[in-house]
Each structure stands twice: as C-alpha cells, then as structure tokens.
Amino acid sequence: MTLINPFKLPSVHLSESKKLPNCTAIYFAIDSQNRILYVGQATNLASRWKNHHRQYQLEEIDKDFPVKIAWQAWNESGLGEAEKYLINNFQPLLNGTRVELPAVIPSEVILRDFLKAFSRRLIIIGRKSQTASELTNVYLKYDWTDCSPKGTAAKIKIFIRENKYKNTSLKFKWQKYVIMRGILFRPGSREQKANARQNRSYNNHWQVACNGVILHITPSNNYKELKLSTDSKELAGIKLQTLTKVALSEMSSKYPYEYSGISYLETDPIPLLWVIKNCAR
C-alpha cells in the first residue's frame, strides 16, 4: 500500500467541519505543529464529523494549536485495512487512548446564560400550570421586526450554535411558527430578499425544557406595545421583563387564539437544583 502524505491533502479547519464532503474517506486530524493527532475512516465523511467522539479533545488542542481535518477519498471495501496501515505508520497521538469528555454542565446553567444574554430582548407573557398530562409551560416573546444579523432571532441562533456541542441535556428544539404569506415577488428582487429576511426572523418557535418546565420562545408583531406594560419577574433566578396581569388580561381578550389559557407569572416556576440560590442573582 502506498503511504499517503497527509500534509498535502485537502483540508478544512476543525471549526469548519460542516464543509467536509459526503464521500468515503480516510481522514487525519493534524495540528499547527504538523502533529498527526488522529487517523480514522468514514463511509460518509461529512456525517462522521457531525458528532465525532474526539471532538472535545481536538477542540481543547485547537485552542493552542489550530487543528485541521485532512482527507483522502477511498474505496469503502478497503477502509479498514487502510486505516490500520496508516495508524501503524503514523502512530497518531489520540488513536488507542481513552476518549475524554467534557464535564457535564447542568441544564439550568446553560439556560441561565441564555436568559442573561437575552434579558432585554425577551418578555415573559405568562404560564400554563402543570396538569396530569402536561408539564408547566412558560411563554416568552421576542421582537421579530429587526431582521438584521443583530436582531434577536439571529442572536438566538448564534447562541444555540455556540452551545451545540457542550455536554448538557439542555437542547433547543425548533419548529416553524407561522409562514408569512403575501404577494409573490420576483426571485432575486429587493422585495423578495426583504420578505425572506422577515420569514427567517418570524418563523421561529423554540422550545427548551429545564427542570420540569418547558419554555416557548416565539415572535411578536407587537413587541414594542407589550414592552410598555411590563414589570419584572424571575425565571431560573434571572430577572426578565414580564407582561403585567392587567396587560395579559387585555391581550387575552384581544388575541384569544394566542393568549388563551395563559396566566400571569406570579413566582419563578423553575427550581434551581445546582445553582445556589443566594448566588443566583
């Protein structure tokens, strides 16, 4: 078997693993000191790196010595033999060693980080209390009208992406909220691009569960109006703007399809199991 020169292969930085091709391949993790850290095989290279078991270790090394992923397309029938041969020749640093995982981060810690970051961008509408078949649900709204990269929807997506690989049970589940309907625009036109930005900002419904409570984060057409009628309440120990009891009653009458069954948030429904309450603020 011909020995591969991994330093001359196509490569991407570790943080850009989404750019890896969908191909059968032998791959190498190499740091900036030209140390071969890991050799592996993949029937689909892109899929293999969506959740690689060495991701955490390589990210730790990458902080000091940038890591790249190089690859060589290969026939699937010869993958195992090629991988064994290359490991034997290059003796990579991590192959055959114990897989190290990051410390588990309690879900409430990540949630509190999120609420701190968005405390001025979210408004608590209210809650639906726990029943025999449903957990407690808390409803929050954000302003969808800023469709720029600095808007709330864009910032939430960045937060989720930055925390995606942390070792925590807290997961943001996304579903489409509402499809904005209107006239058809010529593809590529300024109007069509503006409408597309609005859809990206408006169509988001995030759900996140923590300590027996489910949060729903959805867009609002009248965020600025809501903001005029708020007081302050805590959620997971973080102070947030909260729709007043009077304002909630008015909104329930005005928009029953959206606010029906939601009651005023009197007390913080999320128990803090890991964060010391005295240090929570």
Side-chain angles (χ1 to χ4, degrees):
M1 182 179 294
T2 303
L3 189 63
I4 298 172
N5 183 348
F7 307 108
K8 293 185 178 181
L9 296 176
S11 64
V12 298
H13 185 263
L14 180 64
S15 64
E16 298 181 319
S17 58
K18 288 184 179 180
K19 295 181 180 180
L20 290 168
N22 293 290
C23 67
T24 302
I26 292 291
Y27 61 85
F28 302 81
I30 306 168
D31 72 5
S32 58
Q33 303 297 304
N34 283 338
R35 294 178 297 187
I36 297 177
L37 306 174
Y38 191 81
V39 174
Q41 58 167 299
T43 54
N44 186 309
L45 187 61
S47 296
R48 181 70 186 90
W49 279 92
K50 286 181 179 178
N51 188 23
H52 199 282
H53 66 292
R54 296 285 180 175
Q55 184 82 27
Y56 172 69
Q57 287 174 289
L58 293 173
E59 285 177 348
E60 289 298 300
I61 295 171
D62 183 67
K63 292 176 182 178
D64 298 313
F65 305 101
V67 175
K68 66 180 181 180
I69 305 164
W71 72 92
Q72 172 68 58
W74 210 269
N75 290 325
E76 187 172 347
S77 60
L79 275 178
E81 181 184 353
E83 179 189 39
K84 185 176 180 180
Y85 174 78
L86 293 167
I87 290 173
N88 185 58
N89 275 276
F90 288 112
Q91 293 295 307
L93 181 66
L94 297 179
N95 284 83
T97 64
R98 182 172 62 89
V99 176
E100 294 183 8
L101 296 175
V104 175
I105 304 174
S107 60
E108 66 192 50
V109 173
I110 302 296
L111 178 63
R112 283 167 49 80
D113 288 344
F114 172 77
L115 294 176
K116 285 177 185 176
F118 292 91
S119 61
R120 295 187 178 184
R121 292 174 176 259
L122 297 174
I123 295 175
I124 299 173
I125 300 302
R127 66 182 287 173
K128 288 183 180 178
S129 298
Q130 184 174 353
T131 66
S133 58
E134 296 284 343
L135 294 173
T136 297
N137 287 261
V138 176
Y139 299 85
L140 302 98
K141 291 287 187 181
Y142 71 87
D143 184 6
W144 74 272
T145 57
D146 185 352
C147 307
S148 73
K150 294 183 179 180
T152 301
K155 292 288 187 181
I156 290 175
K157 291 174 184 177
I158 291 172
F159 181 92
I160 294 172
R161 187 164 61 247
E162 290 177 345
N163 288 272
K164 182 177 180 180
Y165 295 109
K166 290 186 177 178
N167 194 19
T168 178
S169 61
L170 191 81
K171 303 298 179 186
F172 286 80
K173 297 180 180 179
W174 180 91
Q175 65 186 61
K176 187 171 289 188
Y177 183 59
V178 173
I179 298 176
M180 294 182 65
R181 297 181 179 180
I183 62 173
L184 295 176
F185 300 102
R186 179 176 60 81
S189 68
R190 183 176 298 176
E191 293 82 1
Q192 187 269 334
K193 291 178 180 178
N195 186 257
R197 286 195 298 272
Q198 290 178 352
N199 273 274
R200 286 196 297 272
S201 180
Y202 192 81
N203 285 348
N204 304 294
H205 178 177
W206 287 285
Q207 291 185 47
V208 56
C210 179
N211 297 351
V213 177
I214 300 175
L215 307 187
H216 299 264
I217 304 164
T218 56
S220 174
N221 290 328
N222 48 12
Y223 179 87
K224 291 181 175 63
E225 178 187 348
L226 295 176
K227 195 170 183 177
L228 295 174
S229 303
T230 60
D231 50 25
S232 178
K233 291 291 182 180
E234 289 189 354
L235 190 62
I238 305 300
K239 288 186 177 180
L240 295 177
Q241 305 168 96
T242 306
L243 200 61
T244 64
K245 190 177 294 186
V246 172
L248 177 58
S249 178
E250 292 174 352
M251 296 302 288
S252 297
S253 299
K254 195 173 181 180
Y255 305 105
Y257 59 90
E258 190 170 11
Y259 294 89
S260 177
I262 298 177
S263 59
Y264 178 67
L265 187 78
E266 295 279 2
T267 58
D268 190 342
I270 300 179
L272 297 178
L273 308 178
W274 297 88
V275 178
I276 300 174
K277 287 196 174 184
N278 291 336
C279 301
R281 293 163 178 79

